[in-house]
Amino acid sequence: MNAPQTESMLLQVRDLRVTLPTPRGPAQALRGVSFDLARGQTMGLIGESGCGKSLTAMAIMGLLPETARVQGSIRLAGEELVGSNQTSLARLRGSRMAMIFQEPMTALNPLHPVWRQIAEPLRLHQDLSASRARQKALALLERVQLPRARERLDAYPHQLSGGQRQRVMIAMALACGPDLLIADEPTTALDVTIQKEVLTLIAQLVREDAMSLLFISHDLALLRDQMDRVMVMYGGQVVESASTAALFDKRAHPYTRGLFAARPRLGLARGTRLQTIPGRVPELSDLPEGCAFAERCPQAVGDCERRQPELLPLATVPVRPGLANAANLANLARVASEANPANVVEGHWVRCPRWDLPGAVPDLDRLAASSFGGAKSLPTRIPALAATARPNASGGQQQWADSDAATLLELRHISQSYLLPREKLFRRPGALQALRDVSLTLQAGKSLGIVGESGSGKSTLARLVMALEKPTAGQVFFRGQDLAALSPSELRAARCGFQMVFQDPYGSLDPRQTVGRIVTEPLQADPGVTLKERLRRAEDAMTEVGLRPADLGKYPHEFSGGQRQRIAIARALITRPALIVADEPVSALDVSVQAQVLNLMQDLQDRLGLSYLFISHDLAVVNLIADEVLVLQSGCVVEQGATQALFDNPKHPYTRQLLAAIPGVGRL
């Protein structure tokens, strides 16, 4: 690869191979990964879960399990890390290289206050006293712009918001001034404005300290403005590597193009089906002999499945279809480079000999309509839940006549407050006002998006709609019934009409139960549903979400993230609800899996006439799903309106701030 001179290199990775033991035998998790990271350079590493991104970071940090077999070379400032003992690696971790982990709540110790956790590397590597380490911890918290830093020195992780915890993690990583900073999905669960703040902060600190940054993400949009280079990984290999500008301008590998096509964008019309990459990332133990992406690639031929492609320089000279193989491409690249070095895009490498066969890379809209299966047409809309009769709590028949014009959900002047812990014995405890005079209406068969930053009241509103809490003031009506006025038995019957899908599909599924028990659990509250009927409904629900009825006997860990979210949706469908409350249902998913779940939710709405109360911090996702949008700030509704009109012409400064925080590629 074309690269800066060796003396300017901080990190040099050569032919890195990692083999992990599995029940089916040894699996090659990383297969010949090579790259250089210069001092002061920033590099993004992208790809779906299971492609080897985090494994590469763990190998560099020396945090792989003892059973892992590591081959190749990792040199940090000339010092070889592969084969080093744990004492040597512990000396480097924190002082010369540091890592910001994806989920700060699990990475921070819940039993220790913030200052002690920041002080730990300072006392270990710099031998500072407790008082000096506390002073430096305060300075670090102020540097990462944590509000009221002095007050939060003695706070515990659970007392901080997600963005604040991530700032604490950044302060810990920067404590000893490392040369190399690795950030592994540091903004996945953050709101769009907090996400932008954290990314800007990391970039600023990297520039100030002349650090090198390896930024791992599955979101292409985050990398455009901050990274010097981008590497795309798939199947434990680098499939494309280029400067950020070159990669965004000429997406060469079919996998890279697929990731771009699957991303939701503000310019797409409501109801547009996103493109998905067919299939799934192969298991480590099932990697094919040839190209790992061949089974999912629209350009693959028989030779792709048999021969392992090389990572070669991207030539601007055309390649005739008859010559499109690795040997001829390498020869053409060499000849072109010798004749005129400008004919090779400097530093742009791709692991695909057929990258140029479709011609010039099309724009995203044309790519969405032509590659990876083509755009799915919208099915004919089924009228939303035509008038039906269902048993009420007393056993009689209650008529619910719903139509597209009927009001399904109504919130009238809702307020919700929570008492804060009493600070002094004889002082009245304070109150946190989570929602203030919120009113909304949702029609049957429609979708309402709820957007706002963390702490704006989105999840509180969801709990009130689900009748998990009673409002301090106001009323929640579902199908004309005040949920707070219902008896426990009446509320159980009413709950058949509304279900919830949570953010984390793995955390919301009991790992000790089979999928069959998980999916049918909501029916256990209805003694009138027989065991045979439960099984039939479970099979129907699994079929609706694109899974097999045979999967009911499996456990959650046997499925991918997207499949687990489909299981969560199947569980929500089992009671045949009219309303689904979706709380950040795709924020934890890869971009291609996210597209699959969003398409599924739209298909289910069209077939079954579902209504969605869709909570998300991703405005591009809300743009696809919601007919109307309600913007919450500090518990108050600051703007509400039709999705397209509100996004095209936002009136409130806070709405404009949310839209301005969307990365540029999210608008393409």
Side-chain angles (χ1 to χ4, degrees), residues 400-437:
W400 289 328
D402 290 331
S403 67
D404 284 336
T407 297
L408 182 67
L409 176 70
E410 184 180 6
L411 273 62
R412 297 180 186 172
H413 306 290
I414 288 291
S415 294
Q416 184 73 333
S417 60
Y418 301 97
L419 289 178
L420 297 173
R422 189 187 298 270
E423 295 183 358
K424 294 187 178 180
L425 182 60
F426 298 107
R427 179 175 294 180
R428 184 178 180 179
L432 171 66
Q433 195 73 24
L435 290 174
R436 309 177 189 215
D437 195 28

Side-chain angles (χ1 to χ4, degrees), residues 77-92:
E79 183 173 350
E80 180 60 58
L81 304 186
V82 175
S84 297
N85 57 44
Q86 285 301 315
T87 302
S88 300
L89 292 172
R91 173 179 53 83
L92 295 173

Side-chain angles (χ1 to χ4, degrees), residues 9 42 46 64 96 144 184 192 217 230 324 338 401 407 426 436 441 458 491 504 578 583 641 643 645:
M9 285 299 163
T42 58
I46 64 172
L64 293 173
R96 299 295 304 279
V144 299
D184 188 3
V192 62
S217 179
V230 176
E338 291 173 354
T407 297
F426 298 107
R436 309 177 189 215
T441 300
K458 304 189 302 295
L491 182 58
D504 182 2
D583 189 1
T643 304

Side-chain angles (χ1 to χ4, degrees), residues 131 181 211 217 430 454 491:
S131 59
L181 180 63
M211 286 187 292
S217 179
S454 293
L491 182 58

